[in-house]
Amino acid sequence: MKQLSLNGLWSMNRRGEETQYEGPVPGSVLSFLLKADAIPDPFDGRNEYQVRELFRDDYIFRKDFYVEEDFLKAEQVELVCEGLDTLAEIYINEKKAFYADNMHRTWRIPVKEMLVPGENHIRIEFLSVLKYMDNYQYAENKEIQYVATGAMKGNQLVRKAHSMFGWDWGPQLPDAGIFRDIYLESWTGRRLENVRFHQIHEQGSVKLQIRADFTPPAEGQERQKIRVSVKKRPADGFAKADFISPSAEAVLGNNTTWETTLSIPDPKLWWPNGYGEQNLYDVLIELLDSDGTIVRNIRKTIGLRTLTVSRRRDQWGKEFAFQVNGVRIFAMGANYIPEDCIYSRITKERQDYLLECAKRAHFNCIRVWGGGYYPSDDFYELCNEKGLIVWQDLMFACNVYDATDAFLENCSREIEDNVKRLRHHPCLGLWCGNNEIESAWDHWPDFQIETAGLRADYIKLFEHAIPHVVRENDPDTFFWPSSPSAGGCFDKPDDENDGDAHYWDVWHGQKPFTDYRKYFFRFCSEFGFQSFPCLKTVETFTKPEDRNIFSRVMESHQKNDAANGKILYYMSENFRYPARFDDLIYVSQVLQGMAIQYGVEHWRRNRGRCMGTLYWQLNDNWPVASWSSMDYFGRWKALQYMACRFYAPTASSLVREDSLLSLYAENETSVPVKWQAQIRIRNMDCEIICSATAEGSTAPFCSEKIAELDFGSLCSGDDTWAETVFAESIVTFENGTKNHNVEVLLPYKYLALKQPLVQTDVTETEDAFVIRLKSDVFSPFVELDFEDADVIFSDNYFHLTGEPREVEVKKADILRGSFENAENLKKRLRIRSLRDTY
């Protein structure tokens, strides 16, 4: 087996134009044109709309390459395209080799007869998907009317990431190009095609069943051997030593399938983040000639674990809980979208940073949303290492599909490709058929005008074709038909007591945060609240005169209809109107964090009934106002910092009902946790008016009320007293960590906040800067930032309540900029609290 990479320098031109642009592949129309400064930045201002129109034309990519004569002596030579986006005619030495029509597939194209020894030429013509959509011919009674919010009509007609046509958080930039590796592969006779694993867990050991599939052997290859070895990977990465037992070896003869079972003694299990170690094993499968020469090898990462979704019946209905190694866990995480509109810019380094930030916020789960794409192998390797269970949507979202025979076949092969590619990863938690389409057909008004034939196509595609392909290729991984769902067949897909739920009345329905407490979903896989990105990010796409949330540019970077007005509505319910544009951005982020915290804390308090929360959304694909907790540049919003607190394995929450304050402890660990708890009422000078204390222990995987304080006797006849006080709780766990909560008795806008004087001291250690803060008065939502640097603080958007607070900036977390010393950092540090905004 030999490979010849075709990555590297290519040229590109628009059809009908002579100008050639050079650029690296993986790459795309946008990456080539931006490299040549031939177009304006589509993320700046309102350039998106001008750049979008480029894709009404076709684009041609070309490359000359050299092939050695020995390479062509093999029986088979294939062109392998791991990512062609999307409608592509491929020519080798001016002969048409193939037509590709699905960006989600890996294409293997026989090209031996088209190649010659020496110089060769490849040309790939990417045809306009916009023209294809405009000219699509529907069958009778099959014309689709529905268009997802922010998207372009017809986006579902092409097997291309739906969100590239726009979404309610993303621009309409349907790029085209070669976004993953492209190469030639040659071999003779038998080729190792794919490998499947099945684990049987027994007391003290795991039996690993392995099946390898091959192409038929050539004459004389009957004596070829297969060898399989397994080795536990060290914590610092791939094993550097030779693979050792358990192992197996056999002569293949004329077989095209080989199976064996290896017993792994004393197995080290893989656990999600927060529950144990992420132990990984490398499996090496080698195909050898009779003389021992290695013809081909495949290395796969596995983790020894059992992982499914528990659907047992209980007193509330039917649960939905990830069960790992027999333990039902509370899933904590968010929804993931592609990190960029230009997919060749989604590097392993960017994925690593994003997923490490998720891990730092105590995520144990991440949902790959169905309107984007199937991420690279690197993404799943990183999730393996970081302990993030992947809820994997198949790439269908919020759309009506015309399930022609050709469409069904294309989708089936797409799913087979990706299931085979990803099924071995220990992080893979479930396959989900689509995002929100079952629910839409059940009750979304705009879906009800679609034809009965299109409704039948939903059943054909999502209840028959797709489940069959998934179960045939990966029977070990839980399959879920849609999200939300109660199991499919349009049977109450939004049932609060069965399956998973998406809850959007807080935000889209403009219900108050308290509305979260009315619902006890078994698993809330989508809920969210918007905010603006920080000023530094806004400055990348605006001029000074654009910095008003109702300017044309700011509204262009807000893809959810009337959403800026929604932010102001919720702001008016909770806060005073900010004095400056930058303050409004800050308050919007505080508001977003409060909303999501309200929901998560409620559902964690009801652990057992609810078993997971995945907020919408973790990241952005361009600089925009959205539901994300991290913006396009990787800057943490207030929500990301708050998630570090409300997703902590041991956490607490404070609830007020009339004059009763109730304090809860959440223990998402496998051991009992001792704690000491305090509830206090303080005035604005942080003087304690009354308090209550308690101590005890909370059982593993449990949430419980641990203390309460009734302040009714302190209330006067009216509520003016409530303007001058706040409630706080402090829970100190036995490992020394403290969990701090604040509850106000009236909305923040009514509080008589005093202007704070925050004392600051900064010291430097070998690997960090330590910031110590203390305020003379109650200072809610203290924000730390720098105008000319980006860092990740150990904590941010916290409350100062009279006690000193220590925040650390590790030198490894200085992302942009630098600091000469502690004094320099202190001088540049910007501190803001809620009272500073008006």
Side-chain angles (χ1 to χ4, degrees):
M1 175 77 70
K2 296 180 180 179
Q3 280 192 1
L4 175 62
S5 174
L6 298 182
N7 290 352
L9 191 66
W10 286 57
S11 64
M12 181 206 76
N13 69 287
R14 192 192 310 210
R15 190 185 297 280
E17 295 185 0
E18 294 184 2
T19 304
Q20 296 284 330
Y21 303 96
E22 291 190 337
V25 162
S28 68
V29 172
L30 288 181
S31 70
F32 274 54
L33 294 176
L34 286 168
K35 179 178 180 292
D37 292 324
I39 58 171
D41 181 353
F43 294 173
D44 189 20
R46 301 181 67 250
N47 292 338
E48 165 202 349
Y49 310 109
Q50 173 188 344
V51 173
R52 175 189 63 194
E53 297 307 302
L54 296 173
F55 296 101
R56 300 198 181 277
D57 292 316
D58 303 340
Y59 291 85
I60 302 167
F61 286 68
R62 295 180 173 87
K63 182 180 180 69
D64 294 322
F65 59 97
Y66 191 89
V67 180
E68 298 285 351
E69 187 171 357
D70 282 351
F71 192 87
L72 296 178
K73 288 180 179 178
E75 284 184 359
Q76 306 289 335
V77 181
E78 289 185 339
L79 174 67
V80 184
C81 308
E82 295 187 354
L84 295 180
D85 181 14
T86 291
L87 306 180
E89 292 181 347
I90 304 167
Y91 297 84
I92 303 290
N93 295 326
E94 304 307 321
K95 296 177 183 177
K96 187 172 181 178
F98 197 70
Y99 172 71
D101 60 355
N102 189 328
M103 77 171 285
H104 303 305
R105 291 179 65 175
T106 294
W107 300 101
R108 302 189 67 95
I109 306 157
V111 294
K112 177 179 171 66
E113 303 307 319
M114 299 179 182
L115 294 168
V116 297
E119 290 293 335
N120 290 264
H121 180 77
I122 182 171
R123 183 175 86 250
I124 304 180
E125 300 185 0
F126 288 95
L127 310 181
S128 169
V129 292
L130 300 186
K131 285 182 181 177
Y132 176 90
M133 288 153 50
D134 289 344
N135 297 327
Y136 184 85
Q137 296 297 310
Y138 291 97
E140 186 177 357
N141 295 321
K142 285 292 192 76
E143 184 167 357
I144 298 167
Q145 307 299 322
Y146 181 78
V147 183
T149 302
M152 302 176 74
K153 183 174 174 59
N155 72 87
Q156 73 275 42
L157 301 174
V158 187
R159 290 310 296 151
K160 176 180 175 71
H162 293 335
S163 56
M164 295 179 83
F165 297 97
W167 214 255
D168 56 5
W169 37 257
Q172 297 177 353
L173 293 171
D175 200 5
I178 308 166
F179 72 97
R180 284 190 179 143
D181 291 342
I182 181 169
Y183 51 92
L184 292 168
E185 197 166 76
S186 71
W187 75 96
T188 295
R190 184 180 277 119
R191 177 171 65 86
L192 184 54
E193 287 198 302
N194 68 81
V195 180
R196 180 185 295 186
F197 304 102
H198 174 69
Q199 300 178 25
I200 301 172
H201 286 246
E202 300 176 337
Q203 187 69 34
S205 69
V206 171
K207 288 182 178 177
L208 182 65
Q209 296 179 344
I210 304 170
R211 170 179 167 147
D213 296 321
F214 307 89
T215 55
E219 185 177 351
Q221 291 184 335
E222 296 85 359
R223 299 302 300 167
Q224 280 187 334
K225 297 179 181 179
I226 185 170
R227 182 168 64 206
V228 178
S229 309
V230 180
K231 184 176 178 62
K232 185 181 180 302
R233 188 188 300 180
D236 60 350
F238 280 99
K240 297 177 177 60
D242 292 336
F243 279 73
I244 58 173
S245 58
S247 62
E249 186 173 314
V251 176
L252 287 167
N254 290 313
N255 295 321
T256 57
T257 297
W258 178 78
E259 297 183 20
T260 191
T261 299
L262 300 178
S263 182
I264 302 175
D266 189 25
K268 306 303 180 186
L269 300 183
W270 182 92
W271 289 93
N273 182 34
Y275 296 86
E277 297 298 318
Q278 288 74 59
N279 294 298
L280 298 174
Y281 287 75
D282 290 324
V283 182
L284 182 65
I285 304 100
E286 297 171 298
L287 180 63
L288 303 95
D289 274 338
S290 56
D291 63 0
T293 303
I294 297 174
V295 177
R296 175 82 193 274
N297 65 68
I298 294 178
R299 187 195 298 257
K300 297 285 188 182
T301 301
I302 65 168
L304 304 179
R305 90 291 188 264
T306 61
L307 173 52
T308 189
V309 173
S310 173
R311 298 281 290 128
R312 69 182 185 182
R313 292 194 176 276
D314 55 25
Q315 64 266 44
W316 301 291
K318 205 169 181 183
E319 78 173 358
F320 192 97
F322 283 110
Q323 185 166 310
V324 188
N325 301 324
V327 177
R328 292 160 56 253
I329 74 165
F330 190 99
M332 300 184 285
N335 288 258
Y336 161 88
I337 66 169
E339 292 101 307
D340 210 300
C341 297
I342 301 173
Y343 282 27
S344 58
R345 299 201 299 212
I346 302 174
T347 61
K348 181 179 180 180
E349 291 71 26
R350 287 182 70 177
Q351 292 174 332
D352 190 17
Y353 172 74
L354 182 71
L355 296 172
E356 184 63 23
C357 291
K359 179 181 178 180
R360 289 176 67 163
H362 307 294
F363 285 26
N364 56 43
C365 184
I366 193 161
R367 178 180 177 226
V368 177
W369 170 74
Y373 79 138
Y374 300 94
S376 66
D377 294 338
D378 290 333
F379 180 92
Y380 299 91
E381 285 286 354
L382 290 165
C383 288
N384 294 339
E385 294 166 8
K386 298 179 192 300
L388 299 174
I389 294 173
V390 175
W391 171 311
Q392 180 65 59
D393 279 6
L394 303 176
M395 291 302 116
F396 305 88
C398 303
N399 264 308
V400 178
Y401 298 93
D402 180 10
T404 65
D405 290 345
F407 185 83
L408 286 171
E409 175 63 17
N410 198 358
C411 292
S412 295
R413 299 292 72 77
E414 164 197 322
I415 293 163
E416 181 181 5
D417 273 1
N418 286 286
V419 170
K420 286 181 176 179
R421 178 169 70 94
L422 303 176
R423 63 190 175 192
H424 66 282
H425 288 287
C427 65
L428 182 62
L430 65 78
W431 298 104
C432 179
N434 66 71
N435 174 73
E436 297 188 338
I437 307 177
E438 182 190 3
S439 180
W441 276 112
D442 182 66
H443 64 266
W444 290 12
D446 288 349
F447 265 61
Q448 307 317 308
I449 64 172
E450 303 290 354
T451 66
L454 290 169
R455 186 182 182 90
D457 279 354
Y458 175 89
I459 298 295
K460 188 189 301 183
L461 180 60
F462 294 108
E463 303 273 352
H464 294 286
I466 287 175
H468 172 74
V469 175
V470 173
R471 287 170 180 143
E472 185 177 63
N473 289 282
D474 187 14
D476 291 345
T477 302
F478 184 85
F479 178 79
W480 193 236
S482 183
S483 180
S485 182
C489 298
F490 306 127
D491 183 16
K492 300 179 182 178
D494 295 271
D495 191 339
E496 178 186 354
N497 295 309
D498 190 356
D500 74 311
H502 294 188
Y503 179 72
W504 283 103
D505 279 355
V506 175
W507 180 254
H508 288 305
Q510 293 187 202
K511 295 288 182 67
F513 303 160
T514 53
D515 213 57
Y516 284 126
R517 293 182 184 170
K518 295 180 180 178
Y519 301 97
F520 300 85
F521 304 118
R522 309 315 306 266
F523 191 113
C524 196
S525 49
E526 269 195 34
F527 62 109
F529 198 96
Q530 275 205 9
S531 71
F532 298 104
C534 71
L535 182 62
K536 285 179 282 191
T537 295
V538 171
E539 287 173 344
T540 66
F541 63 84
T542 60
K543 297 181 176 68
E545 59 267 27
D546 300 321
R547 291 167 198 156
N548 180 298
I549 65 169
F550 296 118
S551 73
R552 206 169 185 197
V553 169
M554 286 295 292
E555 288 194 339
S556 180
H557 286 250
Q558 167 58 273
K559 298 301 184 181
N560 185 227
D561 292 342
N564 289 357
K566 282 192 178 83
I567 292 173
L568 286 190
Y569 165 75
Y570 278 103
M571 202 173 288
S572 72
E573 292 292 295
N574 292 277
F575 299 111
R576 300 188 189 187
Y577 191 79
R580 294 164 295 276
F581 177 73
D582 186 25
D583 292 330
L584 188 148
I585 288 172
Y586 155 79
V587 174
S588 79
Q589 292 196 14
V590 168
L591 196 63
Q592 177 192 33
M594 285 174 58
I596 303 305
Q597 177 178 326
Y598 213 96
V600 170
E601 288 184 343
H602 164 65
W603 289 314
R604 285 197 70 179
R605 285 194 294 271
N606 288 277
R607 190 197 195 282
R609 187 170 183 178
C610 179
M611 288 301 289
T613 60
L614 305 176
Y615 65 76
W616 185 271
Q617 66 207 69
L618 175 59
N619 61 306
D620 286 325
N621 69 346
W622 76 316
V624 65
S626 80
W627 297 270
S628 71
S629 59
M630 293 173 61
D631 73 20
Y632 172 74
F633 296 103
R635 295 174 175 132
W636 287 29
K637 294 183 179 180
L639 172 56
Q640 186 71 17
Y641 284 104
M642 293 184 188
C644 293
R645 301 194 290 264
F646 61 63
Y647 274 159
T650 51
S652 64
S653 57
L654 185 62
V655 181
R656 182 180 68 86
E657 294 180 11
D658 298 323
S659 63
L660 182 65
L661 292 165
S662 299
L663 179 60
Y664 290 78
E666 290 86 42
N667 179 16
E668 193 60 24
T669 75
S670 61
V671 296
V673 175
K674 295 179 181 179
W675 44 259
Q676 294 179 328
Q678 303 174 70
I679 307 176
R680 300 164 174 167
I681 300 288
R682 292 182 185 255
N683 63 22
M684 292 300 157
D685 292 318
C686 298
E687 296 167 338
I688 299 173
I689 298 173
C690 66
S691 65
T693 61
E695 60 180 272
S697 175
T698 297
F701 308 120
C702 179
S703 174
E704 63 175 345
K705 183 190 287 190
I706 61 173
E708 61 182 31
L709 173 64
D710 193 326
F711 58 86
S713 62
L714 301 177
C715 300
S716 55
D718 58 34
D719 61 2
T720 54
W721 173 79
E723 299 174 10
T724 63
V725 297
F726 66 94
E728 72 166 347
S729 64
I730 299 175
V731 179
T732 304
F733 294 102
E734 61 181 308
N735 63 4
T737 61
K738 288 189 177 183
N739 202 272
H740 186 247
N741 298 280
V742 164
E743 182 74 22
V744 291
L745 313 187
L746 293 173
Y748 280 96
K749 63 182 179 179
Y750 295 139
L751 296 188
L753 295 176
K754 297 182 177 182
Q755 190 67 47
L757 177 63
V758 179
Q759 300 174 3
T760 309
D761 179 60
V762 182
T763 57
E764 183 177 2
T765 67
E766 183 178 349
D767 61 354
F769 293 97
V770 180
I771 305 168
R772 295 176 180 84
L773 306 115
K774 189 176 187 301
S775 176
D776 58 336
V777 297
F778 175 45
S779 301
F781 305 109
V782 173
E783 177 198 61
L784 307 178
D785 201 4
F786 302 96
E787 293 180 1
D788 56 355
D790 287 323
V791 309
I792 299 174
F793 296 94
S794 62
D795 198 6
N796 210 346
Y797 300 94
F798 48 81
H799 306 289
L800 290 177
T801 61
E803 308 297 331
R805 191 70 169 241
E806 190 170 283
V807 176
E808 192 174 65
V809 178
K810 290 189 180 297
K811 293 178 180 177
D813 287 333
I814 301 172
L815 308 177
R816 300 175 187 91
S818 61
F819 303 99
E820 299 168 11
N821 49 42
E823 188 59 33
N824 179 254
L825 184 147
K826 179 179 178 180
K827 182 178 179 181
R828 293 157 60 189
L829 182 64
R830 298 291 177 263
I831 302 173
R832 169 168 44 191
S833 69
L834 188 60
R835 181 61 185 86
D836 298 315
T837 65
Y838 59 88

